[in-house]
Amino acid sequence: MGGMVNMKLLKDRIINDGRVIGDSILKVDNFLNHQIDVSLFNEIGKEFKKRFDGVNITKILTIESSGIGLACITAQYFNVPVVFAKKALSINLDSEVYQSKVFSFTKNTLYNVFVSKRYLKQDDNVLIIDDFLANGHAAMGLMDIIGQAGANVAGIGIAIEKKFQEGRKKIMDRGARLESLAIIESMAGGKIVFA
Ligand code: 5GP
């Protein structure tokens, strides 16, 4: 019941403030990707906690930059640290890193992501959190890194899934548990239809 209300909150917001670009990009910079609605993020975090209730989670993993805010607010409900994969090697990063390649849906380019070996260990049970699921490249890259660490993928939590793209299928093929809060069936002609 509570979950239904939370999802309705997010879906209503998508309908009211989301803008469809072409047939497959949803701009939600008014509350998720540029300006951030913290109280909505709190509801999303609570809902992830409900969905993964009873699952052993020791760490939340996301990719910079758009996933970080959501991951941090969600982590408050799980009482675990957040690790975000970095897109550039910098002085803040150790030389010992796990590395994977991710194709960017929004920038149409291939980029590397890095996670220090210090922050993912074999005994970690990792919940992946991200704002969007499109073709699943970000999620696959993060699962690849978790695999390199010998850690376990506890699940994947997504705020907005575009079901008409390939991400869900790829994640199901990997046998990972996927929980998406707002699932969009279609955006053809600019009309958002939820599953
Ligand atoms: P994927 O890797 O699943 O193909 O795409 C997911 C990533 O691309 C997310 O991290 C998200 O930042 C970005 N993304 C994919 N589709 C959209 C979209 O429709 N709108 C926005 N704002 N970001 C998207």
Side-chain angles (χ1 to χ4, degrees):
M1 174 61 203
M4 301 283 282
V5 173
N6 287 342
M7 284 187 292
K8 188 177 183 317
L9 210 62
L10 176 58
K11 287 177 188 171
D12 285 351
R13 199 62 191 271
I14 291 169
I15 294 295
N16 290 331
D17 290 330
R19 286 175 295 145
V20 179
I21 312 292
D23 280 339
S24 65
I25 295 186
L26 178 64
K27 266 186 90 91
V28 286
D29 48 322
N30 162 290
F31 61 94
L32 198 137
N33 286 136
H34 194 14
Q35 174 167 262
I36 290 177
D37 182 335
V38 177
S39 62
L40 177 66
F41 273 33
N42 266 315
E43 295 307 316
I44 291 173
K46 271 185 227 167
E47 182 64 20
F48 282 138
K49 177 63 185 167
K50 234 177 257 166
R51 301 279 185 111
F52 291 100
D53 192 34
V55 179
N56 178 24
I57 289 161
T58 61
K59 216 154 259 192
I60 288 179
L61 180 66
T62 190
I63 299 194
E64 70 175 346
S65 58
S66 66
I68 297 176
L70 206 51
C72 287
I73 287 194
T74 300
Q76 291 186 302
Y77 296 97
F78 288 89
N79 282 306
V80 297
V82 171
V83 177
F84 60 93
K86 287 179 173 269
K87 290 178 178 169
L89 286 166
S90 76
I91 194 166
N92 291 322
L93 205 57
D94 295 292
S95 51
E96 290 284 285
V97 293
Y98 303 114
Q99 178 176 350
S100 193
K101 280 197 185 330
V102 172
F103 180 78
S104 167
F105 181 80
T106 46
K107 299 194 177 72
N108 212 25
T109 52
L110 198 63
Y111 62 95
N112 287 300
V113 288
F114 307 94
V115 172
S116 165
K117 290 189 178 177
R118 228 178 251 270
Y119 301 122
L120 268 189
K121 300 290 187 194
Q122 204 170 342
D123 57 359
D124 272 321
N125 287 297
V126 186
L127 174 62
I128 294 171
I129 292 286
D130 206 0
D131 56 350
F132 274 91
L133 178 66
N135 290 313
H137 293 117
M140 299 305 275
L142 292 177
M143 282 196 278
D144 178 24
I145 281 178
I146 293 166
Q148 290 175 42
N152 174 49
V153 179
I156 302 177
I158 299 287
I160 305 172
E161 174 188 334
K162 292 179 294 175
K163 200 183 169 197
F164 52 91
Q165 293 175 310
E166 299 296 305
R168 171 170 289 268
K169 189 187 176 305
K170 278 188 205 144
I171 289 168
M172 295 296 102
D173 287 349
R174 282 280 194 100
R177 173 166 171 196
L178 172 64
E179 293 286 347
S180 305
L181 305 191
I183 303 179
I184 297 174
E185 187 86 58
S186 149
M187 304 197 306
K191 186 178 167 3
I192 297 168
V193 180
F194 291 106

